[in-house]
Amino acid sequence: MGKIILTGDRPTGRLHLGHYVGSLRNRVLLQDAGDFDRMFVFIADVQALTDNADNPEKVRQNVLEVALDYLSVGLDPSKVTIFIQSMVPQLHEMTQYFSNLVTVARLQRNPTVKTEIKMRGFGEEGQEQAFGSGVPVGFFTYPISQAADICFCKATTVPVGEDQEPMLEQCREIVRSFNSTYGEVLVEPEILLPSNLCCRRLPGTDGKAKMSKSLGNCIYLSDDPAEVKKKVMSMFTDPGHLRIEDPGKVEGNTVFTYLDAFIEEGDFERFWPEYRNLDELKDHYRRGGLGDVKCKKFLLAVLNDRLEPIRARRHQWEQDIPGVYEILRKGSEAAAAVAAQTLHEMRDAMKINYFDDAALIAEQAEKYGSR
Ligand code: TRP
C-alpha cells in the first residue's frame, strides 16, 4: 500500500502563522518531496457549518480565503487535489454508516469536542449541561464526519496539529470497527505532527498559549507588511526586561519562540550579521544589553522574507478568482470519484449493494421458485 496524504481546514477565517508553521509549511514540503501516491487538501465547510449554522455567508466567503491561502503558500493543484467538503456528497453517506458504530458515550469522551463545547458556550456552566440539549447534533457528531473525510480516500497519513490527535484516534477506532464488522475495506490513518516542537502550538502575538482568531492575536498570511510590522512591534516579550541592560528571559518570550519557529539557514548572514546563530543571540539577550526593539526588527525581517513570496502568489491568484473556483471544482470532482469507489466497496461489505449482487437475486429467486 502506498502513502495517501490528506488534511484540511475549516473555512472560518483566513489562515495565520500558527497554521503555517503547524501544518501548511509541512504540506508544501510533503508535496515537493513527492513521496506519495496521492495527496488531498480540502476545505471543511460542512464542519465549519456545524457551529456556524447561522452564518453561512461567513463560511462561504472563507472558502475562497482558505483556497487563496493554500495556493499562496505554494500548494500546487497539479500535484495535490484541492477540494470542498460539501461538494463530495459521498462523505455524508459514509458518515451515516459510521455513526452506527459510535456510541454517544464515546463522543462525549472526545477531549476536543469537550473543550470546544465549553469554548463555544453551547451549554451553560459545567460539563453535564454542556452535553445537554443546547449542543447541535451535527456539532456533537462532527468527529464521525471527520472520520469520513479521512477514510474516503483511505488516507494513511494526516498532517495536522496536535489538537487533532483525539479526532485521529476516534477515526482509527471507527476504521477498526468497520473492518471487523463488515470486512477489511478501510485503512487506519497515522497522524503526522510537525517535527519541530515549537511549531506544534505557536503562541499568539500577546504571548497567550495559542494563536487564534477569537483571541485577536494572529498574524495572517495575507496581512500586508505594515500590519505585520505593527503586530511584531507590539509583541509580548519578557515583562521583567525593563531596561536594555537588564538580563532577559527567552523562555516564554514570544519573539524568541517565533524565531525558533521561523529561522532558516542564512537569516543571520542576511539580516543581522553581528550574530552567527540564534544561540548567540539568545545568550546576549539573557546576559543583558540587548533591546527588544532590535530583536523585533530582526524577527520582522525574517517573517517578511517568509511572507513575501506568499503575498506575491496571493496577489497573482487574486487576479484569477474564476480560475481558483475551477481548481476547486476539478478537485472536488476528482475527490468524489475516489469517494464513490470507496463507498462502493463499503456498500458491498455492508450487504447493501442490492442491484449489483446477481448472486443475491438468483438465490432469492431460487428460494421462492421464481424463474
Ligand atoms: N478539524 C480540522 C480543524 O479544525 C479540520 C478537518 C476536518 C480535518 N476534517 C479533517 C483535518 C480531516 C484533517 C483531516 O482544523
Side-chain angles (χ1 to χ4, degrees):
M1 253 308 274
K3 185 153 134 188
I4 296 175
I5 303 172
L6 171 127
T7 188
D9 300 272
R10 294 183 190 196
T12 51
R14 290 174 294 150
L15 302 182
H16 53 59
L17 294 185
H19 296 114
Y20 182 71
V21 295
S23 180
L24 294 171
R25 181 168 63 182
N26 211 4
R27 291 179 204 176
V28 178
L29 290 173
L30 285 166
Q31 162 192 282
D32 293 341
D35 164 36
F36 54 80
D37 284 351
R38 189 125 191 211
M39 181 163 168
F40 297 88
V41 176
F42 81 105
I43 306 175
D45 62 336
V46 177
Q47 190 172 108
L49 285 166
T50 63
D51 62 335
N52 288 280
D54 55 349
N55 207 346
E57 193 54 36
K58 168 173 131 188
V59 173
R60 179 187 176 83
Q61 293 303 328
N62 282 308
V63 166
L64 175 68
E65 293 300 330
V66 171
L68 284 169
D69 285 330
Y70 284 170
L71 293 168
S72 59
V73 296
L75 287 179
D76 175 350
S78 73
K79 298 179 183 153
V80 174
T81 304
I82 304 177
F83 70 95
I84 304 178
Q85 187 183 20
S86 64
M87 296 292 106
V88 182
Q90 292 83 356
L91 297 177
H92 315 312
E93 189 176 338
M94 285 183 195
T95 303
Q96 176 68 30
Y97 302 140
F98 286 170
S99 67
N100 299 332
L101 305 172
V102 181
T103 65
V104 171
R106 178 61 185 87
L107 283 171
Q108 285 175 336
R109 278 200 308 276
N110 186 311
T112 309
V113 175
K114 269 194 202 172
T115 17
E116 285 178 330
I117 282 179
K118 271 191 226 154
M119 260 167 44
R120 286 174 177 67
F122 285 141
E124 275 104 76
E125 287 296 289
Q127 232 162 261
E128 277 73 30
Q129 281 114 317
F131 276 119
S133 53
V135 184
V137 173
F139 181 81
F140 181 57
T141 56
Y142 91 74
I144 305 177
S145 148
Q146 182 153 343
D149 302 339
I150 296 170
C151 289
F152 88 89
C153 61
K154 304 187 182 176
T156 57
T157 312
V158 183
V160 279
E162 63 180 352
D163 61 318
Q164 295 296 307
E165 179 64 78
M167 297 295 157
L168 265 287
E169 189 47 44
Q170 181 129 38
C171 176
R172 282 191 291 269
E173 283 175 35
I174 291 172
V175 168
R176 285 197 290 270
S177 174
F178 188 96
N179 286 350
S180 67
T181 311
Y182 304 115
E184 291 288 323
V185 173
L186 302 174
V187 175
E188 280 188 52
E190 300 288 339
I191 193 168
L192 182 67
L193 295 166
S195 50
N196 188 346
L197 273 181
C198 68
C199 295
R200 294 196 181 172
R201 180 169 292 154
L202 194 74
T205 51
D206 55 1
K208 293 215 178 95
K210 198 179 169 190
M211 184 172 280
S212 131
K213 184 170 32 96
S214 50
L215 295 172
N217 59 9
C218 301
I219 296 177
Y220 293 98
L221 294 174
S222 48
D223 278 348
D224 65 35
E227 282 167 307
V228 177
K229 181 170 186 193
K230 203 170 86 198
K231 289 175 180 176
V232 169
M233 287 305 161
S234 60
M235 215 161 190
F236 178 83
T237 56
D238 168 14
H241 186 234
L242 294 175
R243 292 163 306 169
I244 291 178
E245 319 79 84
D246 292 340
K249 269 204 287 236
V250 300
E251 287 73 27
N253 183 322
T254 321
V255 172
F256 286 94
T257 311
Y258 280 34
L259 284 173
D260 279 328
F262 282 94
I263 202 84
E264 280 176 14
E265 197 66 39
D267 282 339
F268 278 97
E269 236 173 301
R270 291 167 65 200
F271 305 119
W272 210 357
E274 280 100 314
Y275 301 90
R276 263 177 312 177
N277 54 45
L278 201 46
D279 288 333
E280 263 187 31
L281 183 71
K282 287 180 178 173
D283 282 342
H284 191 183
Y285 193 83
R286 287 197 187 94
R287 277 200 311 275
L290 177 57
D292 282 347
V293 172
K294 278 191 174 169
C295 299
K296 285 177 170 174
K297 283 196 171 141
F298 175 57
L299 174 62
L300 185 62
V302 170
L303 287 183
N304 274 329
D305 189 66
R306 300 304 101 90
L307 289 171
E308 207 40 66
I310 298 178
R311 285 185 195 118
R313 270 192 299 262
R314 191 179 232 275
H315 183 73
Q316 277 196 331
W317 282 109
E318 283 170 358
Q319 311 312 304
D320 186 20
I321 298 300
V324 175
Y325 275 101
E326 196 49 27
I327 288 166
L328 295 173
R329 195 176 63 76
K330 289 213 183 91
S332 300
E333 283 168 7
V338 173
Q341 173 57 34
T342 303
L343 192 54
H344 188 77
E345 294 168 31
M346 283 171 63
R347 295 181 60 119
D348 276 353
M350 293 176 72
K351 302 193 174 296
I352 51 174
N353 55 346
Y354 313 103
F355 306 143
D356 299 332
D357 192 348
L360 167 75
I361 301 171
E363 190 186 294
Q364 293 182 334
E366 168 86 26
K367 177 173 152 195
Y368 286 99
S370 50
R371 278 181 294 141

